[in-house]
Structure formats: structure tokens, C-alpha cells
Amino acid sequence: MINAMKKISLAFLLLCALQLHAQKFEGLAQTPPMGWNSWNTFQTNINEELVKQTADIMVSSGMKDAGYLYLMAMERDSNGNLVPDPKKFPNGMKAVANYVHSKGLKFGLYNCAGTKTCAGYPGTRGYEYQDARLYASFGIDYLKFDWCSSEGLNAKEAYTTMSKALRVAGKPIVFSLCEWGSNKPWEWASNVGQLWRTTGDIGNVFDGIKDYGNWHANGVMTIVDMQDTLQKYAGPGHWNDPDMLEVGNGMSNSEDRAHFSIWCMLAAPLMMGNDLRRMSKETHDILTNKDAIAIDQDVLGIQGFKYADKDSVQTWFKPLKNGDWGVCFVNRSMKAQQIQFNWKNELVTNKVSNTSVNVSAVNYKLHDVWTKKDMGTTALPLTATVPSHDVLMLRLNK
Ligand code: GAL
């Protein structure tokens, strides 16, 4: 009898373990997701035409080839079931999803764990399974799930409920948690979703904050300051998300380049947030830099770490496949800075990934990710000038 009981409880435990393991869809977002999201430029002013035009440009401008696959429209209305605004989406959301899919892109939507979205549209609270079935019937590929109007909710429970609902609905959907890092999702969400926001919203400023009176958006470097302790939580299928890109939204080209570079060093999701229909050549070239993207999308999926922070210059390292490294010197100050980096005197090791830059055994070749120039090898000290609010980003090739 006791043995039988033991067996039963073992079977039960195994079942629990299996269920726990099987909660989110496995195998999705093995590298950080890349795409475009309407929010940073358009907020709720979106419609079918904008989404279709953006999808077209993602294909024609080479964005799709660069890896941007998720196109996200954040609009929603409710009539029992969710329905989109008929003026903005006259043919319904399924038609938009079909159009985006016909371009070889993936399609994402946005909603909120609370009773209302941040823009006041109906949230999902209480409708999780119903909404998940609808999303699955649209064939969507990505869901960003916000945290407004969530008073009294427990974040882990609320996001777990939606994760389960998506799972039960049966269509593999990348689940992007957006509770602004308030409840340390990195500690509990790796089995709930594929990515989680680590901070409040980004704004189009390089440093400090952008003050809107009753709330503020964070500048690029302010967000960067909050990422370094989170390295160990990121990896294939579970990413720290420092928020969408502000490239092309009003910062200088060098600031945009620095912003993009650091996001790549962080293995961050790369969600463009600019108007692709009115993009300068510089913006396009930053967003499609293959060498930078290769560092972000590296198969090892190891988030970069800050090695040094001196005289307003930060030095970041990121281990890459085959023993290569990404290196990024970021000049946060208002003036150009000379940097000197004598590889032989530096001991770059990373406990989290158990890797080291081993210049005594390997003579790495230095490739400048932005100018595409060869910069010698690690045999000699590196000397360079980094302009204000800009970067020197290298790939060390083994
Ligand atoms: C915020 C979120 C932003 C954006 C916005 C939409 O909570 O952090 O990324 O999605 O809501 O209202």
C-alpha cells in the first residue's frame, strides 16, 4: 500500500515537473527577436494601411533580410470578443495578419494583463483563454503583454495564466512580458515567456531621463546602467529586454549608433520603433549593419558584460561562437575621449559564461564593426579616439 502510494505520488510529481517544463512554448526565440513595433512613433495612431506599408518596406529595404521578422500592431477594441477598430482595420485583424505573413514576415499583437491597456483599450484580465484562442485563430506569432491597470494582481500569477492560455490555444506564440522590471521577472519568467522588459519605457534621449510630468522615459544610458547585473538571466529562448529601439527617432546618428551597438552587445531584442516610410539612409544603415546584428544574434546567446567604466568610457565584452568576442567602447561624455587598451595587460574573464579573452594564446584580429576596417591584432595595444556619445565597436576574430 505504502509502495503504491509512493508510486502514485512519484507519478504525480513527475506530471507536475513535466507540466512545469512544458508551460511555455519551447524552441521559440532562440536568438533575440527582431522586428518593428508601432508604439514609439505612432502610439495608437495606426491602421491597416500603415501596417501594410511598413510590411512592404521591411521587405523592399532589406530589413527582412537583416532579420527583422515581427511586425507589431498595437490596436484593440472590445465587443465581448476582441475586435479591431473598424475605421482603422476595416478588414479585421486576420486580414492584416495574412498580408504580413504573405510577405514572409511574422505578425505580433499587443495587450495587457490588467483590465485596460495603458492607452485605455480593454485589457485581457479575465479573458485570458478567450483572447489566446482568438490570437491563435489569427495565426499571430508574437504577443507583447503590458502591465497597466493591474492593481491588486500578482505579476508572476498573471503572466503565468496568460502563458498557460497561449499554450492551451496551441499556436506557438512568442510571449513578451512587459511589466517594466517591477517584479524582477528575470527571476521567475524564463519558463513563462521568451523575453521580459527590464525597465520602464525608453525615450529618445541618450542619457538621463525625458520628463513628462507624471511619468518619465529613460534615456539609453540610464537603461544601460540597469542591465549589467542581469547577464546571467539571459540565454536562448529567454531574454532580458531593455525596450524597443529609438534609432531614427531624433537622437544624433552617433547616439543612434551607440544605442544600437549596446543593444547588440546586450543580446537585446531589436525592435525598431521608427517610421520606416521616412527613414534616412543613415538610420537604415545603422539598423541593417550585419556585423552588429551578428553580435546580437550570435547562437551562444550570451549577454555582454561591462568590463570597465572609467572617465565616462564604458568597455563591454560579449563572448561569441568559435571563441570570437564582441567589444564595445562607449563614450558617455560630452567630449571625444582617447582610449588605450593594452590587451596583454587586461584580464578579461567572465564567471557567468566561464569564458576569457586569452590573448597570450590567441592573436585575435580586430575588425571595426562600423567602419569595416581591420584594426590590427591584439598583439599591439589599441589606441583610438571615440567621439562624444559614440562607440568603437570591434569583433575579435580568433
Ligand atoms: C507601456 C510599455 C510601452 C508601450 C506602452 C503602450 O507600458 O512599456 O513599451 O507598450 O505601454 O501603451
Side-chain angles (χ1 to χ4, degrees):
M1 179 64 187
I2 289 180
N3 261 348
M5 289 284 285
K6 267 194 191 149
K7 269 189 199 148
I8 289 169
S9 55
L10 190 68
F12 179 68
L13 277 178
L14 269 178
L15 204 70
C16 292
L18 281 176
Q19 271 192 344
L20 207 67
H21 184 66
Q23 183 182 299
K24 75 172 188 185
F25 284 103
E26 294 296 335
L28 299 177
Q30 292 301 293
T31 59
M34 297 175 66
W36 176 84
N37 183 311
S38 49
W39 178 257
N40 282 358
T41 299
F42 299 99
Q43 289 82 47
T44 58
N45 300 317
I46 58 170
N47 54 44
E48 181 175 322
E49 202 194 341
L50 170 73
V51 175
K52 284 182 166 177
Q53 284 174 346
T54 303
D56 291 347
I57 298 169
M58 280 175 79
V59 177
S60 63
S61 69
M63 294 287 178
K64 182 183 152 196
D65 288 345
Y68 294 97
L69 289 179
Y70 294 106
L71 191 147
M72 321 232 312
M74 299 159 72
E75 179 66 31
R76 178 175 191 265
D77 211 336
S78 166
N79 198 358
N81 266 320
L82 291 171
V83 284
D85 181 335
K87 285 199 209 85
K88 293 176 173 174
F89 293 95
N91 297 304
M93 217 34 109
K94 174 103 172 98
V96 184
N98 289 349
Y99 185 85
V100 172
H101 285 148
S102 77
K103 298 278 156 180
L105 298 164
K106 300 203 188 274
F107 188 60
L109 286 176
Y110 159 94
N111 209 320
C112 184
T115 48
K116 281 191 176 148
T117 71
C118 305
Y121 289 96
T124 289
R125 180 68 184 151
Y127 295 89
E128 288 83 356
Y129 284 80
Q130 189 177 350
D131 286 0
R133 280 197 299 276
L134 188 71
Y135 297 146
S137 77
F138 289 165
I140 75 162
D141 307 287
Y142 189 107
L143 177 68
K144 173 173 172 177
F145 214 50
D146 219 331
W147 191 232
C148 282
S149 304
S150 61
E151 293 73 23
L153 294 184
N154 173 295
K156 186 176 174 187
E157 281 170 17
Y159 282 95
T160 300
T161 302
M162 194 60 199
S163 174
K164 283 183 180 158
L166 291 172
R167 178 84 205 188
V168 169
K171 162 81 177 66
I173 291 174
V174 171
F175 189 37
S176 156
L177 286 73
C178 177
E179 56 71 81
W180 320 306
S182 320
N183 301 277
K184 300 191 175 163
W186 45 87
E187 287 179 356
W188 49 262
S190 75
N191 197 34
V192 176
Q194 279 73 23
L195 61 158
W196 48 80
R197 277 275 296 281
T198 55
T199 67
D201 288 10
I202 193 170
N204 60 346
V205 288
F206 190 67
D207 215 343
I209 60 162
K210 202 166 173 179
D211 202 344
Y212 291 99
N214 54 351
W215 72 287
H216 71 260
N218 299 299
V220 167
M221 293 310 292
T222 308
I223 289 185
V224 171
D225 286 340
M226 297 184 251
Q227 306 309 310
D228 197 29
T229 52
L230 305 179
Q231 190 206 3
K232 68 175 177 195
Y233 300 103
H238 51 99
W239 308 102
N240 291 313
D241 174 10
D243 207 357
M244 303 175 287
L245 296 167
E246 289 284 14
V247 174
N249 283 346
M251 289 189 287
S252 69
N253 286 327
S254 63
E255 290 173 336
D256 277 353
R257 184 165 47 241
H259 168 27
F260 193 73
S261 301
I262 309 166
W263 260 232
C264 291
M265 292 299 289
L266 289 171
L270 299 176
M271 290 293 162
M272 302 180 281
N274 57 317
D275 185 347
L276 299 189
R277 301 166 310 174
R278 293 183 181 82
M279 162 172 60
S280 68
K281 182 175 181 312
E282 287 84 0
T283 297
H284 171 271
D285 291 353
I286 290 170
L287 290 169
T288 54
N289 182 315
K290 286 204 162 62
D291 291 328
I293 291 173
I295 289 176
D296 179 77
Q297 295 287 303
D298 186 83
V299 288
L300 297 185
I302 301 173
Q303 180 171 321
F305 57 92
K306 190 163 68 179
Y307 170 70
D309 194 345
K310 197 170 156 256
D311 301 333
S312 298
V313 176
Q314 296 188 355
T315 309
W316 288 77
F317 277 82
K318 181 180 195 289
L320 305 173
K321 69 177 177 191
N322 301 330
D324 287 2
W325 285 84
V327 184
C328 189
F329 300 91
V330 187
N331 180 1
R332 192 176 191 163
S333 77
M334 299 303 282
K335 56 180 202 315
Q337 298 275 10
Q338 274 276 321
I339 54 159
Q340 277 258 334
F341 200 83
N342 190 347
W343 308 95
K344 299 240 149 109
N345 297 343
E346 308 283 344
L347 193 66
V348 182
T349 58
N350 179 224
K351 280 206 193 96
V352 168
S353 61
N354 195 20
T355 50
S356 315
V357 180
N358 190 356
V359 290
S360 55
V362 182
N363 192 19
Y364 298 88
K365 288 199 205 102
L366 313 183
H367 173 73
D368 187 319
V369 165
W370 292 105
T371 65
K372 311 292 177 199
K373 285 193 187 127
D374 287 332
M375 302 276 289
T377 72
T378 49
L380 292 175
L382 172 75
T383 319
T385 304
V386 185
S388 166
H389 291 191
D390 207 337
V391 288
L392 172 65
M393 190 182 191
L394 305 170
R395 184 180 182 110
L396 304 194
N397 287 309
K398 201 171 167 183

